[in-house]
Amino acid sequence: MNDILSPAAIEDTPDLETLTGPDDHDDLRLWLRLLTCCNLIEGDIRGRLRTEYETTLPRFDLMAQLHRAPEGMKMSELSRHMMVTNGNITGITDQLEKEGLVQRNKVLTDRRSSLIKLTAKGKRTFRKMADSHEQWIQDLLSGLSEKSRKNLFEALGELKLVAQTRLTPRP
Amino acid sequence: MNDILSPAAIEDTPDLETLTGPDDHDDLRLWLRLLTCCNLIEGDIRGRLRTEYETTLPRFDLMAQLHRAPEGMKMSELSRHMMVTNGNITGITDQLEKEGLVQRNKVLTDRRSSLIKLTAKGKRTFRKMADSHEQWIQDLLSGLSEKSRKNLFEALGELKLVAQTRLTPRP
DNA sequence: TATTGTTATACTCTATAACTATA
DNA sequence: TATAGTTATAGAGTATAACAATA
């Protein structure tokens, strides 16, 4: 496939939204449009994280959690925040620790737990990745009108609240 | 976790968007908000497809592709439309065929290809799933104001175009 | 030579569940 | 008993690559 889709190629590359026929309902089209946007962007981010930083979205996510918690986080906290089960946090943490990006620190008051922190190397690495990440997003969203960005932001805020209120959490 | 998050629980359950600090940029917050919404809804849909129909999103997606192509589709077409590689289509098609939901039909003009179609059972099954799917979405989005839905729809249309134009396709 | 589809393989992410060591 | 974390396992989803049959 080409790097940049030509208008003709866009016509020829149906996506999820084009699955709806002419008489399908608007809510469904709205959802498929949302899903398509998200998949396109997320796929792009995953690809860039892989090729430019040899990492993955869950690993990036875990480091982002630690970045905003300089005092460290427990495994169980990470599990709760990232909404995945405990064993998976162990696996990702193992990888990152092996690469010297995070560190398990024993906590004296509870010998079962440990506090996970970014190492100095982890902080440097994360800062670079996060800067790139933000740049990718800004480059993309700069193609959007100011009005659309504002509308999107507000409407998504409303949607997020509705979803968090009505939907059963995943795990 | 509780089925319905109380407001307090929402406060206690950070999501991706809360990763941004106070001085982070708006575009990043917009993207994380989009991602959070999509993950919440997609997770819910996946869960419902699994528990209520013992199926998955890619399987549902493949059946949806076939549903709008009553004349059938070639494996390579499915691969292109679903944006995954060929071997995966073979796998999903094998499963669906074993359950009698789709059928491989030999095509006379090219003995390498086959046309995949929904069987009668496949059509019935898909119609039920699709109706449920639309109902789930409507139930969720009914919590959104008319204005937000309209704004979302339009802004996402713009975003989709920008993303399709600027981003490298995944595979 | 190029394309269609299959097969084999490997890797990431995920959930479940059994386990340990503490509390 | 309950909690923190680990380990083991299984399964979905994906990409890569080698392959056979056909174009």
Side-chain angles (χ1 to χ4, degrees):
Chain A
M1 257 193 199
N2 304 320
D3 271 7
I4 301 294
L5 284 173
S6 68
I10 291 174
E11 292 297 323
D12 286 352
T13 307
D15 53 42
L16 288 168
E17 190 190 342
T18 60
L19 282 174
T20 58
D23 52 345
D24 277 300
H25 294 92
D26 290 344
D27 286 341
L28 193 51
R29 294 193 65 204
L30 174 53
W31 158 236
L32 294 176
R33 194 170 275 198
L34 179 69
L35 184 57
T36 299
C37 287
C38 217
N39 284 344
L40 283 169
I41 303 174
E42 191 177 339
D44 187 71
I45 300 291
R46 283 184 195 275
R48 289 181 195 267
L49 283 176
R50 190 179 64 245
T51 59
E52 297 185 25
Y53 292 101
E54 287 175 329
T55 194
T56 64
L57 208 44
R59 287 170 50 132
F60 180 73
D61 192 4
L62 194 150
M63 291 180 76
Q65 298 287 346
L66 295 180
H67 181 75
R68 67 189 285 267
E71 71 287 358
M73 289 175 78
K74 295 198 298 178
M75 305 291 276
S76 47
E77 284 183 283
L78 284 167
S79 166
R80 196 153 34 79
H81 285 230
M82 293 175 63
M83 302 196 279
V84 296
T85 53
N86 238 318
N88 301 310
I89 300 296
T90 297
I92 298 176
T93 303
D94 286 348
Q95 293 174 21
L96 294 173
E97 192 172 35
K98 200 177 298 175
E99 297 176 25
L101 299 169
V102 307
Q103 208 173 15
R104 283 173 167 90
N105 296 95
K106 281 289 158 207
V107 50
L108 298 176
T109 54
D110 184 344
R111 287 183 1 207
R112 294 170 305 177
S113 334
S114 50
L115 271 182
I116 319 301
K117 295 183 187 179
L118 286 179
T119 61
K121 179 185 175 190
K123 284 178 201 167
R124 282 197 308 275
T125 304
F126 176 74
R127 183 34 73 197
K128 270 191 285 184
M129 292 192 299
D131 285 348
S132 293
H133 178 260
E134 182 160 9
Q135 195 59 56
W136 302 332
I137 296 300
Q138 281 179 354
D139 288 348
L140 175 68
L141 295 186
S142 67
L144 214 55
S145 71
E146 180 59 32
K147 180 152 171 289
S148 286
R149 272 183 291 189
K150 182 167 169 296
N151 284 343
L152 253 190
F153 190 74
E154 286 174 8
L156 286 173
E158 202 179 322
L159 178 58
K160 190 169 111 177
L161 195 60
V162 169
Q164 285 173 330
T165 307
R166 299 196 174 193
L167 301 183
T168 305
R170 257 205 270 183
Chain B
M1 259 194 196
N2 304 320
D3 271 8
I4 302 293
L5 285 172
S6 69
I10 291 174
E11 291 297 323
D12 285 352
T13 306
D15 53 44
L16 289 167
E17 189 189 342
T18 59
L19 281 174
T20 60
D23 52 343
D24 278 300
H25 294 93
D26 290 343
D27 286 341
L28 194 50
R29 294 193 65 205
L30 174 53
W31 157 237
L32 294 176
R33 193 171 277 199
L34 179 69
L35 184 57
T36 299
C37 287
C38 217
N39 284 344
L40 284 168
I41 303 175
E42 191 176 339
D44 187 70
I45 300 290
R46 281 184 196 275
R48 289 182 196 267
L49 284 176
R50 190 178 65 245
T51 59
E52 298 184 26
Y53 292 101
E54 286 174 330
T55 194
T56 64
L57 208 44
R59 287 172 49 131
F60 180 73
D61 192 5
L62 195 151
M63 291 180 75
Q65 298 286 348
L66 296 181
H67 181 74
R68 67 188 283 265
E71 70 288 359
M73 289 175 78
K74 295 199 298 178
M75 306 290 278
S76 48
E77 284 184 281
L78 284 167
S79 166
R80 196 154 33 83
H81 286 229
M82 293 175 64
M83 300 196 280
V84 296
T85 53
N86 238 318
N88 301 310
I89 300 295
T90 297
I92 299 176
T93 302
D94 286 347
Q95 293 174 19
L96 294 174
E97 192 173 35
K98 201 178 297 175
E99 296 176 25
L101 298 169
V102 308
Q103 207 173 15
R104 284 173 167 90
N105 296 96
K106 280 289 158 209
V107 50
L108 299 176
T109 55
D110 184 344
R111 290 188 352 213
R112 294 170 305 180
S113 336
S114 49
L115 271 183
I116 319 301
K117 295 183 187 179
L118 286 180
T119 61
K121 180 184 174 190
K123 285 178 199 166
R124 284 198 305 276
T125 303
F126 176 74
R127 184 35 73 196
K128 270 191 285 185
M129 293 193 299
D131 285 347
S132 293
H133 178 260
E134 182 160 9
Q135 194 59 57
W136 302 333
I137 296 301
Q138 282 179 353
D139 289 348
L140 175 68
L141 294 186
S142 67
L144 214 54
S145 71
E146 180 59 32
K147 180 150 170 293
S148 285
R149 272 183 290 188
K150 180 167 170 298
N151 283 343
L152 253 190
F153 190 74
E154 286 174 8
L156 286 173
E158 202 179 322
L159 178 57
K160 191 169 110 177
L161 194 61
V162 169
Q164 285 174 328
T165 306
R166 298 195 175 196
L167 300 183
T168 304
R170 257 206 266 185

PDB file of all heavy atoms in Angstrom, chain A residues 45-68:
ATOM      1  N   ILE A  45      -0.004   5.268  15.828  1.00  0.00           N
ATOM      2  CA  ILE A  45       0.808   5.435  17.036  1.00  0.00           C
ATOM      3  C   ILE A  45       1.545   4.145  17.385  1.00  0.00           C
ATOM      4  O   ILE A  45       2.747   4.152  17.673  1.00  0.00           O
ATOM      5  CB  ILE A  45      -0.074   5.856  18.226  1.00  0.00           C
ATOM      6  CG1 ILE A  45      -0.778   7.192  17.949  1.00  0.00           C
ATOM      7  CG2 ILE A  45       0.741   5.929  19.515  1.00  0.00           C
ATOM      8  CD1 ILE A  45       0.126   8.370  17.916  1.00  0.00           C
ATOM      9  N   ARG A  46       0.832   3.037  17.358  1.00  0.00           N
ATOM     10  CA  ARG A  46       1.480   1.751  17.637  1.00  0.00           C
ATOM     11  C   ARG A  46       2.650   1.507  16.695  1.00  0.00           C
ATOM     12  O   ARG A  46       3.721   1.087  17.115  1.00  0.00           O
ATOM     13  CB  ARG A  46       0.479   0.592  17.480  1.00  0.00           C
ATOM     14  CG  ARG A  46      -0.477   0.424  18.634  1.00  0.00           C
ATOM     15  CD  ARG A  46      -1.359  -0.813  18.399  1.00  0.00           C
ATOM     16  NE  ARG A  46      -2.513  -0.848  19.274  1.00  0.00           N
ATOM     17  CZ  ARG A  46      -2.486  -1.335  20.515  1.00  0.00           C
ATOM     18  NH1 ARG A  46      -1.367  -1.844  21.010  1.00  0.00           N
ATOM     19  NH2 ARG A  46      -3.580  -1.320  21.257  1.00  0.00           N
ATOM     20  N   GLY A  47       2.391   1.763  15.416  1.00  0.00           N
ATOM     21  CA  GLY A  47       3.453   1.551  14.426  1.00  0.00           C
ATOM     22  C   GLY A  47       4.667   2.424  14.697  1.00  0.00           C
ATOM     23  O   GLY A  47       5.804   1.958  14.627  1.00  0.00           O
ATOM     24  N   ARG A  48       4.423   3.680  15.007  1.00  0.00           N
ATOM     25  CA  ARG A  48       5.549   4.588  15.261  1.00  0.00           C
ATOM     26  C   ARG A  48       6.283   4.215  16.534  1.00  0.00           C
ATOM     27  O   ARG A  48       7.519   4.282  16.598  1.00  0.00           O
ATOM     28  CB  ARG A  48       5.040   6.024  15.380  1.00  0.00           C
ATOM     29  CG  ARG A  48       4.573   6.612  14.058  1.00  0.00           C
ATOM     30  CD  ARG A  48       4.113   8.038  14.271  1.00  0.00           C
ATOM     31  NE  ARG A  48       3.349   8.553  13.154  1.00  0.00           N
ATOM     32  CZ  ARG A  48       3.892   9.234  12.142  1.00  0.00           C
ATOM     33  NH1 ARG A  48       5.174   9.459  12.118  1.00  0.00           N
ATOM     34  NH2 ARG A  48       3.125   9.669  11.157  1.00  0.00           N
ATOM     35  N   LEU A  49       5.554   3.854  17.581  1.00  0.00           N
ATOM     36  CA  LEU A  49       6.210   3.429  18.814  1.00  0.00           C
ATOM     37  C   LEU A  49       7.099   2.214  18.543  1.00  0.00           C
ATOM     38  O   LEU A  49       8.195   2.095  19.081  1.00  0.00           O
ATOM     39  CB  LEU A  49       5.169   3.083  19.895  1.00  0.00           C
ATOM     40  CG  LEU A  49       4.495   4.264  20.594  1.00  0.00           C
ATOM     41  CD1 LEU A  49       3.420   3.773  21.558  1.00  0.00           C
ATOM     42  CD2 LEU A  49       5.525   5.106  21.362  1.00  0.00           C
ATOM     43  N   ARG A  50       6.609   1.325  17.677  1.00  0.00           N
ATOM     44  CA  ARG A  50       7.377   0.114  17.381  1.00  0.00           C
ATOM     45  C   ARG A  50       8.620   0.448  16.557  1.00  0.00           C
ATOM     46  O   ARG A  50       9.733   0.087  16.931  1.00  0.00           O
ATOM     47  CB  ARG A  50       6.503  -0.887  16.633  1.00  0.00           C
ATOM     48  CG  ARG A  50       7.138  -2.258  16.501  1.00  0.00           C
ATOM     49  CD  ARG A  50       6.232  -3.238  15.763  1.00  0.00           C
ATOM     50  NE  ARG A  50       5.997  -2.837  14.395  1.00  0.00           N
ATOM     51  CZ  ARG A  50       4.821  -2.484  13.878  1.00  0.00           C
ATOM     52  NH1 ARG A  50       3.751  -2.508  14.642  1.00  0.00           N
ATOM     53  NH2 ARG A  50       4.704  -2.141  12.618  1.00  0.00           N
ATOM     54  N   THR A  51       8.416   1.178  15.451  1.00  0.00           N
ATOM     55  CA  THR A  51       9.556   1.382  14.565  1.00  0.00           C
ATOM     56  C   THR A  51      10.545   2.412  15.105  1.00  0.00           C
ATOM     57  O   THR A  51      11.744   2.268  14.918  1.00  0.00           O
ATOM     58  CB  THR A  51       9.096   1.826  13.159  1.00  0.00           C
ATOM     59  OG1 THR A  51       8.353   3.044  13.272  1.00  0.00           O
ATOM     60  CG2 THR A  51       8.210   0.773  12.520  1.00  0.00           C
ATOM     61  N   GLU A  52      10.041   3.432  15.795  1.00  0.00           N
ATOM     62  CA  GLU A  52      10.951   4.481  16.240  1.00  0.00           C
ATOM     63  C   GLU A  52      11.492   4.253  17.649  1.00  0.00           C
ATOM     64  O   GLU A  52      12.542   4.778  17.998  1.00  0.00           O
ATOM     65  CB  GLU A  52      10.251   5.861  16.149  1.00  0.00           C
ATOM     66  CG  GLU A  52       9.897   6.209  14.700  1.00  0.00           C
ATOM     67  CD  GLU A  52       9.323   7.611  14.557  1.00  0.00           C
ATOM     68  OE1 GLU A  52       9.615   8.470  15.406  1.00  0.00           O
ATOM     69  OE2 GLU A  52       8.568   7.834  13.577  1.00  0.00           O
ATOM     70  N   TYR A  53      10.749   3.514  18.469  1.00  0.00           N
ATOM     71  CA  TYR A  53      11.192   3.326  19.853  1.00  0.00           C
ATOM     72  C   TYR A  53      11.188   1.874  20.310  1.00  0.00           C
ATOM     73  O   TYR A  53      11.404   1.595  21.491  1.00  0.00           O
ATOM     74  CB  TYR A  53      10.340   4.174  20.798  1.00  0.00           C
ATOM     75  CG  TYR A  53      10.564   5.658  20.624  1.00  0.00           C
ATOM     76  CD1 TYR A  53       9.659   6.430  19.902  1.00  0.00           C
ATOM     77  CD2 TYR A  53      11.694   6.270  21.152  1.00  0.00           C
ATOM     78  CE1 TYR A  53       9.866   7.793  19.723  1.00  0.00           C
ATOM     79  CE2 TYR A  53      11.908   7.619  20.982  1.00  0.00           C
ATOM     80  CZ  TYR A  53      10.999   8.380  20.273  1.00  0.00           C
ATOM     81  OH  TYR A  53      11.217   9.722  20.097  1.00  0.00           O
ATOM     82  N   GLU A  54      10.918   0.952  19.386  1.00  0.00           N
ATOM     83  CA  GLU A  54      10.891  -0.475  19.739  1.00  0.00           C
ATOM     84  C   GLU A  54      10.090  -0.728  21.010  1.00  0.00           C
ATOM     85  O   GLU A  54      10.524  -1.465  21.901  1.00  0.00           O
ATOM     86  CB  GLU A  54      12.312  -1.028  19.884  1.00  0.00           C
ATOM     87  CG  GLU A  54      13.011  -1.203  18.548  1.00  0.00           C
ATOM     88  CD  GLU A  54      14.459  -1.626  18.716  1.00  0.00           C
ATOM     89  OE1 GLU A  54      15.067  -1.226  19.723  1.00  0.00           O
ATOM     90  OE2 GLU A  54      14.967  -2.327  17.828  1.00  0.00           O
ATOM     91  N   THR A  55       8.919  -0.097  21.086  1.00  0.00           N
ATOM     92  CA  THR A  55       8.098  -0.351  22.262  1.00  0.00           C
ATOM     93  C   THR A  55       6.638  -0.503  21.834  1.00  0.00           C
ATOM     94  O   THR A  55       6.326  -0.447  20.638  1.00  0.00           O
ATOM     95  CB  THR A  55       8.254   0.762  23.318  1.00  0.00           C
ATOM     96  OG1 THR A  55       7.699   0.319  24.558  1.00  0.00           O
ATOM     97  CG2 THR A  55       7.564   2.041  22.883  1.00  0.00           C
ATOM     98  N   THR A  56       5.784  -0.721  22.801  1.00  0.00           N
ATOM     99  CA  THR A  56       4.364  -0.966  22.515  1.00  0.00           C
ATOM    100  C   THR A  56       3.508   0.012  23.310  1.00  0.00           C
ATOM    101  O   THR A  56       3.990   0.683  24.226  1.00  0.00           O
ATOM    102  CB  THR A  56       3.968  -2.395  22.918  1.00  0.00           C
ATOM    103  OG1 THR A  56       4.114  -2.516  24.332  1.00  0.00           O
ATOM    104  CG2 THR A  56       4.822  -3.429  22.197  1.00  0.00           C
ATOM    105  N   LEU A  57       2.229   0.050  22.991  1.00  0.00           N
ATOM    106  CA  LEU A  57       1.332   0.970  23.667  1.00  0.00           C
ATOM    107  C   LEU A  57       1.169   0.644  25.155  1.00  0.00           C
ATOM    108  O   LEU A  57       1.255   1.556  25.986  1.00  0.00           O
ATOM    109  CB  LEU A  57      -0.023   0.983  22.946  1.00  0.00           C
ATOM    110  CG  LEU A  57      -0.861   2.256  23.020  1.00  0.00           C
ATOM    111  CD1 LEU A  57      -0.038   3.504  22.795  1.00  0.00           C
ATOM    112  CD2 LEU A  57      -2.004   2.186  22.015  1.00  0.00           C
ATOM    113  N   PRO A  58       0.982  -0.628  25.523  1.00  0.00           N
ATOM    114  CA  PRO A  58       0.898  -0.929  26.961  1.00  0.00           C
ATOM    115  C   PRO A  58       2.171  -0.564  27.721  1.00  0.00           C
ATOM    116  O   PRO A  58       2.113  -0.063  28.849  1.00  0.00           O
ATOM    117  CB  PRO A  58       0.651  -2.436  26.987  1.00  0.00           C
ATOM    118  CG  PRO A  58      -0.018  -2.729  25.698  1.00  0.00           C
ATOM    119  CD  PRO A  58       0.582  -1.787  24.707  1.00  0.00           C
ATOM    120  N   ARG A  59       3.321  -0.787  27.112  1.00  0.00           N
ATOM    121  CA  ARG A  59       4.565  -0.403  27.774  1.00  0.00           C
ATOM    122  C   ARG A  59       4.657   1.112  27.922  1.00  0.00           C
ATOM    123  O   ARG A  59       5.042   1.627  28.981  1.00  0.00           O
ATOM    124  CB  ARG A  59       5.775  -0.914  26.975  1.00  0.00           C
ATOM    125  CG  ARG A  59       6.000  -2.416  27.071  1.00  0.00           C
ATOM    126  CD  ARG A  59       7.050  -2.878  26.089  1.00  0.00           C
ATOM    127  NE  ARG A  59       8.247  -2.060  26.193  1.00  0.00           N
ATOM    128  CZ  ARG A  59       9.491  -2.529  26.269  1.00  0.00           C
ATOM    129  NH1 ARG A  59       9.698  -3.824  26.222  1.00  0.00           N
ATOM    130  NH2 ARG A  59      10.509  -1.715  26.372  1.00  0.00           N
ATOM    131  N   PHE A  60       4.299   1.811  26.870  1.00  0.00           N
ATOM    132  CA  PHE A  60       4.279   3.276  26.918  1.00  0.00           C
ATOM    133  C   PHE A  60       3.303   3.755  27.985  1.00  0.00           C
ATOM    134  O   PHE A  60       3.599   4.674  28.755  1.00  0.00           O
ATOM    135  CB  PHE A  60       3.883   3.820  25.538  1.00  0.00           C
ATOM    136  CG  PHE A  60       3.812   5.320  25.450  1.00  0.00           C
ATOM    137  CD1 PHE A  60       4.959   6.082  25.442  1.00  0.00           C
ATOM    138  CD2 PHE A  60       2.579   5.961  25.364  1.00  0.00           C
ATOM    139  CE1 PHE A  60       4.901   7.468  25.355  1.00  0.00           C
ATOM    140  CE2 PHE A  60       2.505   7.345  25.281  1.00  0.00           C
ATOM    141  CZ  PHE A  60       3.670   8.097  25.279  1.00  0.00           C
ATOM    142  N   ASP A  61       2.157   3.103  28.032  1.00  0.00           N
ATOM    143  CA  ASP A  61       1.120   3.462  28.995  1.00  0.00           C
ATOM    144  C   ASP A  61       1.631   3.274  30.428  1.00  0.00           C
ATOM    145  O   ASP A  61       1.476   4.155  31.278  1.00  0.00           O
ATOM    146  CB  ASP A  61      -0.114   2.587  28.735  1.00  0.00           C
ATOM    147  CG  ASP A  61      -1.337   3.071  29.487  1.00  0.00           C
ATOM    148  OD1 ASP A  61      -1.265   4.129  30.151  1.00  0.00           O
ATOM    149  OD2 ASP A  61      -2.372   2.381  29.429  1.00  0.00           O
ATOM    150  N   LEU A  62       2.277   2.149  30.679  1.00  0.00           N
ATOM    151  CA  LEU A  62       2.791   1.902  32.028  1.00  0.00           C
ATOM    152  C   LEU A  62       3.825   2.957  32.414  1.00  0.00           C
ATOM    153  O   LEU A  62       3.799   3.507  33.517  1.00  0.00           O
ATOM    154  CB  LEU A  62       3.394   0.493  32.121  1.00  0.00           C
ATOM    155  CG  LEU A  62       3.658  -0.023  33.540  1.00  0.00           C
ATOM    156  CD1 LEU A  62       3.537  -1.548  33.602  1.00  0.00           C
ATOM    157  CD2 LEU A  62       5.015   0.398  34.062  1.00  0.00           C
ATOM    158  N   MET A  63       4.711   3.264  31.503  1.00  0.00           N
ATOM    159  CA  MET A  63       5.718   4.297  31.797  1.00  0.00           C
ATOM    160  C   MET A  63       5.059   5.650  32.023  1.00  0.00           C
ATOM    161  O   MET A  63       5.513   6.431  32.869  1.00  0.00           O
ATOM    162  CB  MET A  63       6.745   4.371  30.662  1.00  0.00           C
ATOM    163  CG  MET A  63       7.634   3.130  30.584  1.00  0.00           C
ATOM    164  SD  MET A  63       8.856   3.199  29.242  1.00  0.00           S
ATOM    165  CE  MET A  63      10.081   4.340  29.924  1.00  0.00           C
ATOM    166  N   ALA A  64       3.983   5.918  31.283  1.00  0.00           N
ATOM    167  CA  ALA A  64       3.276   7.190  31.462  1.00  0.00           C
ATOM    168  C   ALA A  64       2.647   7.259  32.857  1.00  0.00           C
ATOM    169  O   ALA A  64       2.664   8.313  33.501  1.00  0.00           O
ATOM    170  CB  ALA A  64       2.205   7.350  30.388  1.00  0.00           C
ATOM    171  N   GLN A  65       2.120   6.138  33.304  1.00  0.00           N
ATOM    172  CA  GLN A  65       1.557   6.102  34.650  1.00  0.00           C
ATOM    173  C   GLN A  65       2.633   6.442  35.678  1.00  0.00           C
ATOM    174  O   GLN A  65       2.409   7.225  36.601  1.00  0.00           O
ATOM    175  CB  GLN A  65       0.996   4.700  34.971  1.00  0.00           C
ATOM    176  CG  GLN A  65      -0.138   4.233  34.081  1.00  0.00           C
ATOM    177  CD  GLN A  65      -1.457   4.924  34.353  1.00  0.00           C
ATOM    178  OE1 GLN A  65      -1.626   5.588  35.382  1.00  0.00           O
ATOM    179  NE2 GLN A  65      -2.389   4.787  33.421  1.00  0.00           N
ATOM    180  N   LEU A  66       3.797   5.814  35.518  1.00  0.00           N
ATOM    181  CA  LEU A  66       4.885   6.042  36.477  1.00  0.00           C
ATOM    182  C   LEU A  66       5.412   7.465  36.381  1.00  0.00           C
ATOM    183  O   LEU A  66       5.824   8.049  37.386  1.00  0.00           O
ATOM    184  CB  LEU A  66       6.026   5.052  36.233  1.00  0.00           C
ATOM    185  CG  LEU A  66       5.684   3.577  36.473  1.00  0.00           C
ATOM    186  CD1 LEU A  66       6.900   2.711  36.195  1.00  0.00           C
ATOM    187  CD2 LEU A  66       5.179   3.364  37.899  1.00  0.00           C
ATOM    188  N   HIS A  67       5.391   8.013  35.171  1.00  0.00           N
ATOM    189  CA  HIS A  67       5.933   9.356  34.977  1.00  0.00           C
ATOM    190  C   HIS A  67       5.179  10.394  35.812  1.00  0.00           C
ATOM    191  O   HIS A  67       5.764  11.352  36.306  1.00  0.00           O
ATOM    192  CB  HIS A  67       5.867   9.735  33.499  1.00  0.00           C
ATOM    193  CG  HIS A  67       6.421  11.088  33.206  1.00  0.00           C
ATOM    194  ND1 HIS A  67       7.773  11.339  33.199  1.00  0.00           N
ATOM    195  CD2 HIS A  67       5.827  12.267  32.924  1.00  0.00           C
ATOM    196  CE1 HIS A  67       7.976  12.612  32.933  1.00  0.00           C
ATOM    197  NE2 HIS A  67       6.821  13.209  32.757  1.00  0.00           N
ATOM    198  N   ARG A  68       3.886  10.195  35.931  1.00  0.00           N
ATOM    199  CA  ARG A  68       3.110  11.163  36.692  1.00  0.00           C
ATOM    200  C   ARG A  68       3.024  10.787  38.162  1.00  0.00           C
ATOM    201  O   ARG A  68       2.307  11.426  38.924  1.00  0.00           O
ATOM    202  CB  ARG A  68       1.707  11.316  36.098  1.00  0.00           C
ATOM    203  CG  ARG A  68       0.847  10.085  36.225  1.00  0.00           C
ATOM    204  CD  ARG A  68      -0.429  10.246  35.439  1.00  0.00           C
ATOM    205  NE  ARG A  68      -1.393  11.119  36.071  1.00  0.00           N
ATOM    206  CZ  ARG A  68      -2.367  10.698  36.875  1.00  0.00           C
ATOM    207  NH1 ARG A  68      -2.502   9.419  37.158  1.00  0.00           N
ATOM    208  NH2 ARG A  68      -3.222  11.548  37.397  1.00  0.00           N
TER     209      ARG A  68
END
